Each structure stands twice: as structure tokens, then as C-alpha cells.
Amino acid sequence: MGMAQGFQLPEGKKPQKVKFQLIDNLIIVPMEVNGSKLSFILDSGVGKPILFHLFDQDSVQINEVSEITIRGLGDGEPIKALSSKGNRFKLGDIENKDQMLYVVLDRDMNFSPNLGIPIHGIIGYDLFKDFIVEINYSSRTLRLHDPNTYVYPTNKKYETLPLTVVNKKAYVNGHVYFEDRENIPVKLLVDSGSSDAIWLFENEEIGIPDKNYDDFLGKGLNGNIFGKRTMVQGLKIGSFTLEDAKVAFPDAASFSEIKNLGDRNGSMGGEVLKRFNIIFDYPNGRLTLRKNHLFNNPFQYNMSGIQLQHDGLRYVAESIANRRGVVRNDKRDDAFGNVQLLFQNQTRLSLVPEIIVSGIRAGSPAETAGIREGDVILAVNGKSVHTYKLQEIMQMLNEKEGKRVKVLIERYDSDLLFSFVLKNMFKEKP
């Protein structure tokens, strides 16, 4: 076996700096694959990079292909995929000329509809193993450093903890506090590819708090993941404590395909990670954290019960008042001349993403009001949704407890208006 190539910084280059987008707590980086410019989620929970079934307009050439089966999270069957060797990956100036990847052929396996921008794949371990990766969630910048020359910050606000890397996945130890019990030690997968806060697995030590509700937790490689959503009094990582942290307990069925959860108690996703600026050091097994301005933000709950996704495109006719107006001055002898303002009304057809209700929680305010899966969302509180990003619409639908939300939807060619009040499931009156 030759020396594994891996990702490399060009000789004598300073650390590579990359701007990323943060969408739904996920880090999205520009990645070039065999010359095609693509967008990847930076997912510390994934081994080899995975490329999704690409949209018709995007194409990328991949090399040396063979068929395989992947098992992952979710309640469905294992999925068929292609394995491909010898691909050239480039992130800024960092390059790997011989990257292996998997291509998922299932069209449904695709994060783009839920994030509202094209996502072509996910990459994790292969980038983390070769660099010290500094993630600044505040400035949305990634810095990849050469492990041999990296100098750790001396600032006292940084705290360094052991990071255990097993089977290409990184784990950190912490503690959770429940109402009745303190200090239960937990080993958590550090999962920047999850937009959620904390997931825990039920065991003798860790029981599900009484105050909980059933919820859709997300999409795994093998289908949908459901579970109980609740909160813990605190999550402690090093000396940092996050209070009233949002926690979900995924149903056992979601993990039926994964045999070796080992001694792992759950995972810590983007809604927790983004509260820190983080230095990932896989080569030396260290995780360094510093609180950022998001640290004390309240955790986001879906109070409406609506899940949304992009579903194709629709035409919208908009009337545009052309407010420039035309001033005509007919040169006559009277002092003011004859001033005429002309306004033109024009109609423009634009192609906008169609936003549909992809899931709805039983017993939630939206469901009680009568909204159903498959409904097309046209407007929220009088604002037409097609000018907003998916995450902004989600925010409008879940703004704050006690707020009344009016949603205009289209169902079977008729427009219906629904109205409901947002409620936090944890403050139910007995």
C-alpha cells in the first residue's frame, strides 16, 4: 500500500480560510469534485463523503464505480449506493487527488428540499483527520491548519477537552442533569451534520422525562426518524453548562440497522455546537471550545407542528406598480408647464419555489387548526412566502409562544386561511 494521499495544504500556504453558510444549524461549504463546483454539508458524523442523486441540471463526473449497500439511521431498508475511487476534491487550495466517495442513488435521499438550497453531498472525517479544523460559527468561517505547525490559542476563554475518535467518528464526554437526578455521565457523538440539539438513547441510567411529546426528528440515510422530544435541566460539557437544553430520544426502531452503538449515549448536533467557536483536533484527540454570542440563545422548538420543504416550482403573477412615473413638461408659455405623472401597471410571471407542508405533528396547533400534509403554503401572517428563505418561513411559523399565526394555503386549487396560537409543549397546564 502506498502512502495514503489525503487532503493537503499547498506547500508553504497559510491556514486555508473558507467562508461557509449556516443554514438550519448546518455548515455548508463550497466543494469542488472533479472540477464541478458543489455544496457539501460539513458533517463530523460521517466517514467517507456521500454524494446525493444530483439534480438534473447539475452534473459531476465520478471515477471507478462499483455498487455497495449502506446502513444508516432511519426506519427504512438499507440503501443501494455506488462506491467510487480516485476522485479529486478541492476546498479552497486544499486538495485530495484520490478521494473515495459513495453516491446515493435514491432520489428521496436528499437534504436540499428541507434546506431550500441545492446540497450535493456530505463530507466529514476525511477533512477532519488531516487538519486542525477551526470552526468560527460567529463569523461563519472555517480555518484548516497544518497539525504540525498549529499553535493553540492561549486565551483563558478557550477550554480543551479530550476527543475520542473511533471508527472515523468523534466523541466527547459530558453530563446531563434531569429534574430528579444530577450528573449522569454521557458519551456523545459530536455531530455537526445534525441540525438538532441533543439526542439521547434511553437506558437504565437515562430515562425519558415525563414531560415529552412525539415528534418527527429528521431524516436519516435509511428513512425518517421519530422519537420523543423533551428537555433536560442542563447539559455540561467541560465547565460549560447549557440550561434547559432541548433533547430528543429517538425511537429504538430508528437504530435497528446500526449494531455497534457501543457505549455511546447519544449525540450533540448543530444547535448546541453553534453556541461555541470550536477547534477540532482529530490528529491529537482534542476538542477546544469557546462560548460565542449564541451561547445563551433559547433553544428553538417547533411550536406550530409544521414541517416544511421545497417541492418543485410554481408560477406567481405579480402586479408591479411602476412607481418611477414619467414627468412630461409640455413647453408652453404658462409658468408651470403641464406636468403629467404616468403610472404603468405591469404583470410579471415569476417562477418561485413551492413550499409544502411535508409533515405535521399530531395534536399540534397547526393540525388542530386543520392544516394537512401536502398543503401548499402561500403566505404567513399576510407575507407572501416566496420572497423568503425556507428557514425564515420556519421562523415566522414558530416565532414565539402565544403568538397568533395566520397561514394561507392552497389545497385542491382553493385557497384556505387557517389561524392558530403557538404553544410551547413544555408549559402545558396540568
Side-chain angles (χ1 to χ4, degrees), residues 43-47 73 125 128 162-174 186-194 196-201 235 237 255 258 260-261 263-270 272-273 278 280 282 287:
D43 180 352
S44 58
V46 69
L73 294 189
Y125 178 75
F128 285 105
L163 188 73
T164 323
V165 180
V166 186
N167 288 339
K168 305 189 173 174
K169 292 185 177 350
Y171 300 88
V172 73
N173 290 317
V186 286
K187 178 178 175 184
L188 301 175
L189 170 71
V190 183
D191 188 1
S192 65
S194 156
D196 213 333
I198 305 154
W199 282 12
L200 292 175
F201 306 139
L235 165 72
I237 302 287
F255 290 88
I258 297 188
N260 55 351
L261 287 171
D263 55 350
R264 161 183 168 200
N265 300 111
S267 57
M268 181 163 81
V272 168
L273 298 175
I278 304 181
F280 278 99
Y282 279 37
L287 182 73

Side-chain angles (χ1 to χ4, degrees), residues 61-245:
Q61 166 134 18
I62 55 167
N63 309 324
E64 293 180 59
V65 175
S66 55
E67 196 171 288
I68 53 147
T69 300
I70 301 184
R71 299 172 183 283
L73 294 189
D75 54 10
E77 298 295 306
I79 52 173
K80 287 266 178 285
L82 302 176
S83 152
S84 158
K85 293 201 284 250
N87 299 288
R88 203 172 111 246
F89 272 55
K90 221 168 162 281
L91 178 65
D93 299 315
I94 291 174
E95 196 166 7
N96 181 353
K97 297 190 174 75
D98 185 15
Q99 175 67 56
M100 176 174 168
L101 63 85
Y102 296 133
V103 183
V104 170
L105 297 174
D106 182 348
R107 277 182 174 279
D108 297 338
M109 215 17 261
N110 178 348
F111 292 109
S112 304
N114 305 74
L115 292 175
I117 67 163
I119 301 290
H120 305 100
I122 49 186
I123 187 166
Y125 178 75
D126 286 333
L127 262 183
F128 285 105
K129 77 175 170 33
D130 294 328
F131 301 101
I132 289 177
V133 179
E134 197 180 339
I135 300 178
N136 188 318
Y137 278 100
S138 308
S139 66
R140 307 200 174 170
T141 357
L142 216 54
R143 280 192 176 76
L144 296 100
H145 304 265
D146 176 345
N148 302 313
T149 55
Y150 182 70
V151 180
Y152 268 86
T154 49
N155 189 322
K156 289 281 184 288
K157 289 182 174 152
Y158 283 97
E159 185 172 332
T160 298
L161 311 166
L163 188 73
T164 323
V165 180
V166 186
N167 288 339
K168 305 189 173 174
K169 292 185 177 350
Y171 300 88
V172 73
N173 290 317
H175 289 90
V176 284
Y177 297 82
F178 289 96
E179 297 287 316
D180 45 355
R181 280 174 316 166
E182 303 233 314
N183 246 347
I184 301 169
V186 286
K187 178 178 175 184
L188 301 175
L189 170 71
V190 183
D191 188 1
S192 65
S194 156
S195 56
D196 213 333
I198 305 154
W199 282 12
L200 292 175
F201 306 139
E202 197 179 0
N203 64 16
E204 288 74 64
E205 280 289 286
I206 307 171
I208 303 180
D210 294 335
K211 279 189 179 166
N212 67 66
Y213 59 91
D214 292 308
D215 204 3
F216 167 74
L217 302 183
K219 219 156 125 171
L221 277 177
N222 291 97
N224 289 330
I225 300 169
F226 295 91
K228 305 252 183 253
R229 197 171 280 294
T230 176
M231 66 201 297
V232 291
Q233 233 179 347
L235 165 72
K236 194 160 190 260
I237 302 287
S239 64
F240 301 107
T241 302
L242 287 160
E243 290 175 10
D244 292 335

Side-chain angles (χ1 to χ4, degrees), residues 225-403:
I225 300 169
F226 295 91
K228 305 252 183 253
R229 197 171 280 294
T230 176
M231 66 201 297
V232 291
Q233 233 179 347
L235 165 72
K236 194 160 190 260
I237 302 287
S239 64
F240 301 107
T241 302
L242 287 160
E243 290 175 10
D244 292 335
K246 180 168 94 170
V247 168
F249 284 86
D251 291 344
S254 302
F255 290 88
S256 56
E257 284 298 339
I258 297 188
K259 303 293 176 273
N260 55 351
L261 287 171
D263 55 350
R264 161 183 168 200
N265 300 111
S267 57
M268 181 163 81
E271 201 177 338
V272 168
L273 298 175
K274 74 172 183 188
R275 295 157 190 270
F276 299 96
N277 291 341
I278 304 181
I279 301 164
F280 278 99
D281 183 348
Y282 279 37
N284 302 302
R286 291 191 284 210
L287 182 73
T288 301
L289 301 175
R290 179 184 178 167
K291 281 183 199 187
N292 64 27
H293 70 289
L294 301 169
F295 188 80
N296 290 317
N297 279 15
F299 285 87
Q300 293 297 308
Y301 287 92
N302 184 328
M303 291 186 278
S304 63
I306 295 177
Q307 299 286 339
L308 294 182
Q309 70 173 40
H310 274 212
D311 187 51
L313 295 165
R314 63 187 288 134
Y315 279 102
V316 174
E318 296 170 283
S319 147
I320 310 166
N322 184 346
R323 290 279 171 226
R324 286 194 302 276
V326 185
V327 179
R328 282 201 191 142
N329 193 343
D330 296 342
K331 296 260 182 293
R332 291 221 191 97
D333 294 339
D334 52 281
F336 290 100
N338 181 3
V339 178
Q340 222 184 347
L341 283 179
L342 300 177
F343 288 107
Q344 298 154 310
N345 264 332
Q346 298 163 334
T347 302
R348 155 175 89 187
L349 273 184
S350 38
L351 205 54
V352 299
E354 187 156 275
I355 308 287
I356 63 161
V357 176
S358 56
I360 192 147
R361 190 173 68 235
S364 62
E367 196 221 32
T368 312
I371 293 178
R372 297 185 206 154
E373 202 170 317
D375 284 346
V376 176
I377 305 252
L378 302 175
V380 178
N381 292 335
K383 295 178 181 147
S384 171
V385 296
H386 64 260
T387 52
Y388 293 93
K389 297 193 176 91
L390 198 61
Q391 262 49 53
E392 294 171 331
I393 303 165
M394 280 303 283
Q395 236 159 348
M396 285 150 64
L397 286 169
N398 291 289
E399 214 161 347
K400 60 176 188 288
E401 195 183 349
K403 184 177 165 77

